[in-house]
Amino acid sequence: ASLRLTFPARRAARVSSRSSVLLLAPLLAEAEAAPRRISKPTGSAGAQGTDGLLARFRWMAEYVPAFRVPGAHIHILTSPEEFYQTMKARIKTAKRRVVMASLYLGTGPLEQDLVDCMEEALRRSQEDSHAPDLKVSVLLDYTRGSRGEINSRTMLLPLLQRFTSQMRVSLYHTPDLRGLLRLLVPQRFNETIGVQHIKVYLFDDSIIISGANLSDSYFTNRQDRYVLLDNCGELADFFSDLVGAVGDVSLQLQPDDSVTMLDGMVHPYKGNRDDFSASARKRIMEVVNSARTQQRLLSQSEDSEDEGTGDREEGEEDTWVFPLVQMKPLGIQVDEQVTQHLLTGAGADTTVFLTSGYFNLTRAYMGLVLGAGASYRILTASPEVNGFFGAKGVAGAIPAAYIHIARQFYNEVCQLGQQERVHLHEYHRPQWTFHAKGLWYYLQGQSRPCLTLIGSPNFGYRSVHRDLEAQIAIVTANQDLQAQLQEEQELLYQRSTEVSSSTFERPDRHVKLWVKLVTPLIKNFF
């Protein structure tokens, strides 16, 4: 019998001074551990059908829960405008739950329109007997969400004051920002220590997984990636529980703009560091492990029932979704393990298109890219579409630091004679910035990808070691979904140019000596 990767429906709801630099010294000196050796996945490299894909990627179910989703329910969104309008429409029609997890909520007119949609949905739920139980839960980062007098908190306070019983706002605070470090690091830079970086937008039983934040540029001219999983109740339950678990260990915003912790929870920066991490890890892994256990039990039961019947709906088992979570400060590193395993298994029969708005691969990922047999086409932001381009102060030098990092990587590719296998591309688009991340995985002889990673991680040090991240691996044999993924990849890469040695000789790619000197010290913070 084939392995049934599913999850039971409708689970029950569950509950800049010198001093600053000196304080950062221990973090600056952090060493990145070498990657652990992982056995390569088994399965037929040339398999085309659903069973062949399952055989090749079924190892993911050893790490995380796996959800069977009809490929027809998955839609790739391609523009900031489509992302924004879809969110607004889904919020307005939500009847049971709206769950929003992001780094922050902006403070402009477009963000206010989004808040107004939440208010409309909450007001309607009070007046409509068909949707009296709508709950809205928002998870943001404490440091980014509290910056300035007008901020994410002040944007949401009116809703919290008016709909107290239906509204929850949780503000995650990293346990690594504490004591003197918390007092002395300027507000603009304190988020470099670690943030809540998950981007999940959920409406009843539908979800958008993205790398985009809730801010005006992400709704207009900042290119990201976005996938809508429509009418996927089991997966929506999982992400609702996951965001809820992170919310449980976060600070709770009150109607008077104060914050409190839930009873029995360890405070992230006043309590003991190890105690907080242990309790947070326990709460969050309860969600992951419960889903894995129930999926296994149900798959065994359904395999037994289906033996000999062949009673499967067409398209029912053509796609699997694997949620990947990375929260290294809490001791959770599932996404890192799966990504390393995936790159380890990317042999000469595969092509990987990998993109990151901030190209700063960890040493482990870089070693796997340079040492594997797969062909790689890596897309990153050109300096002028980097989100820090034109920023004031030290932040304005960050694009130059990324140029320096890219040049070092390109030089290593050349030194190893890998130019025919590993290609580096830069995204260009006037008046836009670039924030897309993830990968597309092609098997030999296939013109369309059978797997994609999409979500919040950037494949860099911060994503692996500092921040809370989540993405999904979609494995699909659905030809229409594969075509959507192929079109998405082409739309991004057609706006790029390939990097060559002459790229770094151009005047606009000159990197000042001081930037080269400080980049090794600060690259782990951006």
Side-chain angles (χ1 to χ4, degrees):
S2 63
L3 177 65
R4 294 293 296 259
L5 299 177
T6 184
F7 190 68
R10 199 63 55 226
R11 288 183 295 167
R14 290 194 297 264
V15 264
S16 338
S17 66
R18 183 176 299 175
S19 300
S20 300
V21 173
L22 291 174
L23 285 165
L24 287 170
L27 294 171
L28 291 170
E30 286 180 355
E32 187 183 335
R36 68 184 183 91
R37 186 175 298 276
I38 308 173
S39 59
K40 291 190 177 184
T42 60
S44 172
Q48 310 298 324
T50 302
D51 291 341
L53 286 176
L54 175 57
R56 186 178 182 99
F57 298 109
R58 69 193 310 162
W59 56 267
M60 289 189 189
E62 299 174 8
Y63 292 89
V64 294
F67 299 89
R68 190 181 69 243
V69 175
H73 288 200
I74 301 178
H75 312 281
I76 304 300
L77 311 181
T78 58
S79 71
E81 172 72 8
E82 187 179 12
F83 166 60
Y84 180 59
Q85 295 300 336
T86 301
M87 279 198 299
K88 288 176 63 176
R90 295 299 176 120
I91 291 171
K92 288 179 180 179
T93 57
K95 291 181 171 58
R96 293 183 295 106
R97 60 186 175 188
V98 172
V99 179
M100 312 283 276
S102 186
L103 174 62
Y104 69 106
L105 170 69
T107 59
L110 295 180
E111 296 92 324
Q112 185 60 57
D113 282 350
L114 204 63
V115 174
D116 291 344
C117 289
M118 297 182 202
E119 181 179 13
E120 178 184 334
L122 287 164
R123 178 173 46 79
R124 187 194 66 245
S125 74
Q126 292 185 340
E127 300 169 353
D128 186 355
S129 60
H130 296 292
D133 299 321
L134 178 66
K135 304 291 185 184
V136 175
S137 177
V138 181
L139 170 66
L140 304 172
D141 182 70
Y142 178 92
T143 56
R144 186 63 178 269
S146 303
R147 184 194 295 178
E149 292 186 12
I150 301 175
N151 52 45
S152 305
R153 293 163 63 164
T154 60
M155 290 288 288
L156 293 169
L157 277 175
L159 289 187
L160 195 59
Q161 292 162 352
R162 182 175 176 184
F163 305 98
T164 306
S165 64
Q166 294 174 269
M167 185 82 184
R168 180 190 190 191
V169 179
S170 304
L171 302 168
Y172 174 81
H173 193 295
T174 177
D176 293 325
L177 184 64
R178 55 175 50 236
L180 287 176
L181 187 65
R182 188 174 188 274
L183 292 173
L184 294 177
V185 174
Q187 192 177 69
R188 190 183 177 196
F189 298 102
N190 56 14
E191 68 182 80
T192 61
I193 307 303
V195 294
Q196 192 304 112
H197 201 245
I198 296 170
K199 321 293 171 62
V200 171
Y201 309 112
L202 189 153
F203 324 94
D204 288 342
D205 287 340
S206 298
I207 327 160
I208 295 176
I209 304 292
S210 180
N213 291 302
L214 297 174
S215 181
D216 56 358
S217 63
Y218 292 91
F219 306 150
T220 54
N221 64 344
R222 187 158 171 77
Q223 183 64 59
D224 214 299
R225 297 181 68 209
Y226 338 81
V227 58
L228 169 65
L229 300 104
D230 208 5
N231 192 26
C232 300
E234 296 86 357
L235 189 62
D237 287 344
F238 173 84
F239 274 106
S240 179
D241 289 345
L242 178 67
V243 173
V246 178
D248 287 347
V249 302
S250 300
L251 294 155
Q252 308 300 307
L253 185 64
Q254 302 301 310
D256 63 356
D257 199 25
S258 64
V259 291
T260 61
M261 292 296 293
L262 294 179
D263 290 342
M265 296 296 176
V266 181
H267 198 283
Y269 62 86
K270 294 180 180 177
N272 179 273
R273 167 69 170 81
D274 291 339
D275 290 345
F276 171 80
S277 294
S279 63
R281 177 173 61 253
K282 180 175 183 293
R283 176 72 187 92
I284 292 163
M285 289 307 296
E286 283 175 355
V287 174
V288 177
N289 292 332
S290 175
R292 287 187 64 221
T293 299
Q294 294 184 44
Q295 170 257 309
R296 269 204 212 98
L297 292 174
L298 190 63
S299 66
Q300 292 170 3
S301 172
E302 292 187 346
D303 277 342
S304 177
E305 292 174 2
D306 288 338
E307 274 190 11
T309 68
D311 186 17
R312 306 286 176 84
E313 293 183 17
E314 185 177 354
E316 183 184 11
E317 287 194 323
D318 65 4
T319 302
W320 293 267
V321 177
F322 302 86
L324 310 177
V325 180
Q326 182 75 11
M327 304 176 179
K328 199 69 162 284
L330 310 180
I332 300 171
Q333 53 193 95
V334 177
D335 178 66
E336 176 186 10
Q337 293 168 339
V338 171
T339 302
Q340 286 189 15
H341 197 162
L342 184 65
L343 298 182
T344 298
D349 63 333
T350 58
T351 299
V352 177
F353 285 72
L354 184 150
T355 181
S356 175
Y358 304 112
F359 181 68
N360 187 13
L361 293 180
T362 65
R363 185 161 59 91
Y365 292 160
M366 188 180 299
L368 290 172
V369 169
L370 295 175
S375 295
Y376 278 89
R377 292 194 173 271
I378 300 172
L379 177 63
T380 187
S382 61
E384 65 273 13
V385 300
N386 186 291
F388 291 96
F389 187 75
K392 297 179 180 179
V394 176
I398 291 179
Y402 281 115
I403 293 173
H404 183 55
I405 293 169
R407 182 168 192 168
Q408 289 180 316
F409 176 79
Y410 180 79
N411 288 344
E412 190 160 358
V413 169
C414 294
Q415 289 168 7
L416 294 172
Q418 300 292 319
Q419 303 97 309
E420 297 302 313
R421 189 180 62 82
V422 181
H423 303 262
L424 188 60
H425 298 251
E426 290 185 341
Y427 185 88
H428 305 272
R429 194 171 185 180
Q431 307 304 313
W432 281 60
T433 55
F434 183 71
H435 197 248
K437 66 267 296 187
L439 63 77
W440 301 260
Y441 193 102
Y442 294 73
L443 294 179
Q444 187 176 37
Q446 297 300 296
S447 60
R448 295 172 177 174
C450 63
L451 179 150
T452 191
L453 295 184
I454 181 170
S456 64
N458 278 296
F459 304 104
Y461 187 95
R462 284 201 57 160
S463 291
V464 172
H465 293 274
R466 297 195 183 281
D467 299 339
L468 303 194
E469 307 278 9
Q471 65 178 338
I472 56 175
I474 301 174
V475 178
T476 185
N478 183 288
Q479 293 187 5
D480 289 339
L481 179 53
Q482 288 183 350
Q484 287 186 65
L485 291 169
Q486 173 65 14
E487 181 181 9
E488 178 197 32
Q489 179 262 303
E490 289 178 347
L491 285 172
L492 292 175
Y493 277 74
Q494 73 183 10
R495 293 185 179 274
S496 74
T497 58
E498 186 170 350
V499 169
S500 66
S501 57
S502 62
T503 303
F504 300 105
E505 303 304 323
R506 290 162 38 183
D508 63 335
R509 302 309 168 90
H510 174 71
V511 180
K512 296 179 180 179
L513 178 60
W514 73 268
V515 175
K516 294 179 181 180
L517 294 175
V518 302
T519 295
L521 299 175
I522 65 173
K523 63 182 295 184
N524 293 345
F525 292 91
F526 59 81

